[in-house]
Amino acid sequence: MSKSSLGLQQMLLRTHPCNFTVTFYPGKEIPVANALLCPYLPEEDTAMQKEIESYVNSVMMLLPISNSRVKKLKQETTTYTQMN
């Protein structure tokens, strides 16, 4: 997982306790695919970074997860990224 983009890693950690059915769609049919699968963008691209953060925040608000669980996931994500 360490070779995945940061956005994809965060999404995987947040959705880990959920059960999903995965359906393949070509990337051209998914408007957010590039934001999730592209390599992490440098800090200089603030417009794209804000757009990605906005999307992640909107997904987070819709997840049935407690604030304490989100806090724990953030801590674990930070620990994991510092180790790699």
Side-chain angles (χ1 to χ4, degrees):
M1 186 163 87
S2 63
K3 293 184 180 182
S4 300
S5 68
L6 182 59
L8 185 57
Q9 289 178 30
Q10 291 173 341
M11 183 183 75
L12 290 171
L13 287 171
R14 290 180 179 136
T15 58
H16 180 71
C18 302
N19 294 320
F20 290 97
T21 301
V22 178
T23 305
F24 173 79
Y25 292 97
K28 63 185 178 185
E29 295 180 19
I30 308 172
V32 224
N34 285 338
L36 296 175
L37 300 175
C38 290
Y40 185 66
L41 299 171
E43 291 296 323
E44 292 82 34
D45 192 353
T46 57
M48 179 61 91
Q49 185 65 25
K50 287 180 182 178
E51 186 175 332
I52 292 170
E53 288 175 11
S54 174
Y55 177 76
V56 170
N57 288 336
S58 66
V59 169
M60 283 297 298
M61 286 190 287
L62 297 174
L63 288 177
I65 189 170
S66 68
N67 289 336
S68 62
R69 180 78 171 152
V70 171
K71 184 177 178 181
K72 178 70 173 168
L73 287 172
K74 286 180 181 180
Q75 290 170 346
E76 293 298 325
T77 302
T78 301
T79 301
Y80 179 82
T81 55
Q82 289 173 350
M83 291 172 47
N84 294 310

